[in-house]
Amino acid sequence: MYKINVFTAKRSLSWVQQLEKIKPTFCEFHYYAYTDNAHLHELLENHLDGGDGALFSGQIPYFFAKTYFQEVTVPMHYFDISERDFYRTVTELFYEKKIAMNRIAIDFCYEENGYLGIHEWSIGEKPYLFSQTMSEFASSDIIDKAAEWHIQLHNENKVDLSFTRIAEIRERLALQNIPFIAFYPSLYAMQLTLEHFVNQLQIRQLNQNKVVVVHILIPIDKSNLEDLEYRQIALYKAILDFKQLYACSFIVHREASFLAIITTYQQFLSTTDHYTHCQLVDFLNDRLSFPVKIGWGIGDSLIDSQEFAKKAATLCSSKETQGYIIENAREMGPLLYATKLQFDDEKQQYLKTLSTTYDIPLLQLQKIDAMLEKLTTTIVSGELLSTHLGITVRSANRILKQLHEKKLAHELPSNTSSTRGRPKKYYQITLTIKDLN
């Protein structure tokens, strides 16, 4: 059973509750109607992450939640007008009242919904649009801006009619004697949104139930093999203590030179704070008098996850307790002891775009960016990268070579005048999106 919290302006509650007519048997809806932004903030604070997902009556509460509750990870979606809803109303309007398209103001057509197709047929007679992009709806004063926009267009006699999706401005328009049509999604459009949202919930549930394997290696000191048995016992006890302390859903399997843990993706996200900070690394580093290598493996099957975990463990340093992740053959890490990466929303979004554009793990870019900021320089060598990321020099050089190939770094001329042997390579890293052609 999915618990879905629905947040809506109080004026929109009546049509939003039509969800009950199309509700799947495995979903239950909890409705929260707000009167203003302060009330919305209170409702979101108390209920946003209390279910499996959240639906919103429109873009305004959706962007409000995205802006003020960035740490919440539950899936979110909003209801919008479909082209079918839009053109049914427009067709009836033109047929009955003969209103020209260029005398209409619309506040819900933008690039993200394809302008509802108006540019394909309204050649030469385009309506007035409030915004070209949905990002405008992230503004804290969006309601006032939209109301003033409609009122100004009518006062200047540029339009005869307003189309609005914003429930909060309807009374203002009525008080100004401005003719308007209030749009809201039809049951058909709500059905499409709900089906898409339920698919998101199901995919998320499958991912959370995905099997994750942790492979923990004990570095062997060949000069003191007798110490290995003690380390095995100490590691096993520490893992059981961690499992009990954090109530982890771990299945622990003990071998001669390593320890394996089988868990879920949801538990992995919790233990690694969504890929940013590993509680297990911290715990073992504090409890054990020797370092261990922690490899996380995430694949489409148990066998894949096991193989990825084994490889990830070998990538860790032998000098300190360290965690490394391999997810579907992509290397991410290491997860350093007592280190939690934090970025503002703008920086985070930019690094995500870089990651997608250049097919580089996001966590790797985050750590490189944090290192450059800490060092206050963009010029690094493989040795410097190795030291600050806690990886081998070989792995660091491989990362620099990859950045160089993707034009995110360029190699600087070597200075061999005062250096014997093979000169060090230095690179200047510039994490900016460039034209790859």
Side-chain angles (χ1 to χ4, degrees), residues 394-412:
R394 183 177 180 182
S395 294
N397 284 328
R398 186 171 67 246
I399 290 173
L400 288 172
K401 182 180 179 182
Q402 181 187 38
L403 294 176
H404 181 254
E405 290 173 348
K406 295 178 183 292
K407 300 182 181 180
L408 295 177
H410 70 270
E411 187 177 347
L412 299 177

Side-chain angles (χ1 to χ4, degrees), residues 288-300:
L288 303 175
S289 60
F290 53 89
V292 293
K293 301 179 177 185
I294 305 172
W296 296 84
I298 308 167
D300 294 327

